[in-house]
Amino acid sequence: MMNIARSYVNDTSPLPSPWRDAQVAVVVPTYNEAGNIAELTRSIHALDLPNLMLIIVDDDSPDGTGSIADDLAGRANEDRPGSMVVLHRKVKEGIGRAHIAGMKEALARGADYVVQMDGDLSHRPEYIPRMLGTIMSAHAGVVIGSRYVAGGSLSADWGRHRRLLSKFAGLYVNAILKLPLRDATGGFKMWRRDVLERIDLNAIRSDGYSFQVEMNHLCRQLGQSIVEIPIHFEERNAGSSKISFAVQLESMLTPFALRFGGRRRPAGQAEAVRSLR
């Protein structure tokens, strides 16, 4: 299973022009990722996407992640000006708020496609060209790197409890919000610019990981298609998980709030959710 999944990374063909020339921004929130940031930056900048920009959103990491990112950005921008931006936030408000800050920066800098991914190397950057090819060919609103469609897989280091919890979370969200997704809680995504512009990022209510669910819900309300492609999800390379009880509680309550107290769906817009298997 793991060898099959890794073949998606190792066997990707370069995108043809003009597809590979698209303006792509990769948003990576960080908090205490000093052990991962250099490798992540190197892997992203190694992609055959000449107009790719990396945006690091650091929440004042005590381990010095922000300073390391500044050094990396200085070197990257010497080779290609504007290829890396570091946003420093003085208040840790949650990964959802960090993603929103990065997305706004990406849109302000002219990105046509915006990737959101974790900073712990659990999401492999090598999937990004395939995500770009998929979103452009399918004209999807968002592409999700999915652990649970055919061909997707989880790290062998994930225990039975974590696997069951992750599966239950997806079933729970889909049951309440009627999202026919295999990986409704996944955080490795690529968005089209116009979809993010139509979603009012200032009105997003989620601070933590439920941000992923809320964005899927809003995308579906706009009648935009959601396409899932298989990825292999790695165990984090270094550091520790930041999922607190408060974040878990928010994740439990948010689907109800969106279903029964969220924004109204615009009239006349069709629902379109697909999975690539």
Side-chain angles (χ1 to χ4, degrees):
M1 186 74 157
M2 292 174 64
N3 290 334
I4 292 173
R6 284 176 179 164
S7 71
Y8 283 110
V9 176
N10 297 331
D11 195 31
T12 52
S13 300
L15 288 174
S17 293
W19 288 22
R20 66 185 289 272
D21 302 317
Q23 300 289 333
V24 178
V26 181
V27 175
V28 182
T30 58
Y31 185 76
N32 287 349
E33 299 292 357
N36 298 316
I37 188 67
E39 182 179 347
L40 178 68
T41 299
R42 178 193 58 75
S43 297
I44 290 174
H45 284 148
L47 297 174
D48 186 21
L49 297 172
N51 294 317
L52 182 145
M53 173 195 310
L54 172 59
I55 301 175
I56 300 294
V57 186
D58 186 67
D59 278 1
D60 200 23
S61 298
D63 71 349
T65 300
S67 296
I68 297 172
D70 283 335
D71 291 340
L72 294 167
R75 280 177 267 167
N77 291 328
E78 285 180 3
D79 296 334
R80 186 164 66 85
S83 62
M84 185 169 175
V85 177
V86 183
L87 304 182
H88 296 276
R89 300 181 349 126
K90 294 303 180 184
V91 179
K92 190 174 186 296
E93 298 176 308
I95 194 170
R97 297 293 128 193
H99 272 304
I100 289 170
M103 287 175 166
K104 288 180 177 179
E105 185 72 15
L107 296 177
R109 290 177 176 267
D112 293 318
Y113 301 94
V114 180
V115 177
Q116 53 174 115
M117 62 187 298
D118 291 345
D120 58 8
L121 298 177
S122 58
H123 299 146
R124 300 304 304 179
E126 292 86 351
Y127 288 109
I128 292 174
R130 185 167 183 252
M131 297 173 83
L132 179 60
T134 301
I135 200 170
M136 295 180 80
S137 61
H139 198 62
V142 60
V143 170
I144 299 175
S146 175
R147 300 163 288 184
Y148 300 125
V149 292
S153 59
L154 286 166
S155 168
D157 294 329
W158 268 46
R160 180 178 175 82
H161 174 74
R162 289 178 70 186
R163 290 170 184 267
L164 289 175
L165 185 62
S166 177
K167 279 284 193 179
F168 170 78
L171 292 171
Y172 174 81
V173 166
N174 287 341
I176 296 171
L177 295 179
K178 311 300 181 184
L179 293 174
L181 296 173
R182 297 292 184 88
D183 199 349
T185 61
F188 192 10
K189 301 176 180 177
M190 178 179 284
W191 294 87
R192 257 190 12 244
R193 176 189 182 90
D194 62 297
V195 175
L196 291 180
E197 288 176 333
R198 292 176 65 191
I199 293 174
D200 184 2
L201 295 175
N202 292 318
I204 298 295
R205 67 179 71 194
S206 304
D207 296 327
Y209 288 90
S210 58
F211 168 81
Q212 313 295 358
V213 172
E214 183 170 358
M215 291 291 286
N216 290 340
H217 174 68
L218 295 175
C219 182
R220 183 170 178 255
Q221 282 192 314
L222 291 173
Q224 295 293 319
S225 62
I226 302 175
V227 177
E228 298 182 82
I229 65 171
I231 63 166
H232 175 69
F233 184 87
E234 303 277 3
E235 180 59 283
R236 69 163 30 251
N237 185 61
S240 58
S241 175
K242 290 94 175 174
I243 302 179
S244 65
F245 175 75
V247 169
Q248 294 179 52
L249 182 61
E250 181 193 56
S251 297
M252 292 289 290
L253 297 177
T254 293
F256 282 100
L258 292 172
R259 174 73 184 275
F260 301 108
R263 312 177 202 188
R264 291 185 178 180
R265 176 194 174 101
Q269 291 184 332
E271 299 174 2
V273 181
R274 292 177 289 160
S275 294
L276 289 187
R277 297 184 176 90

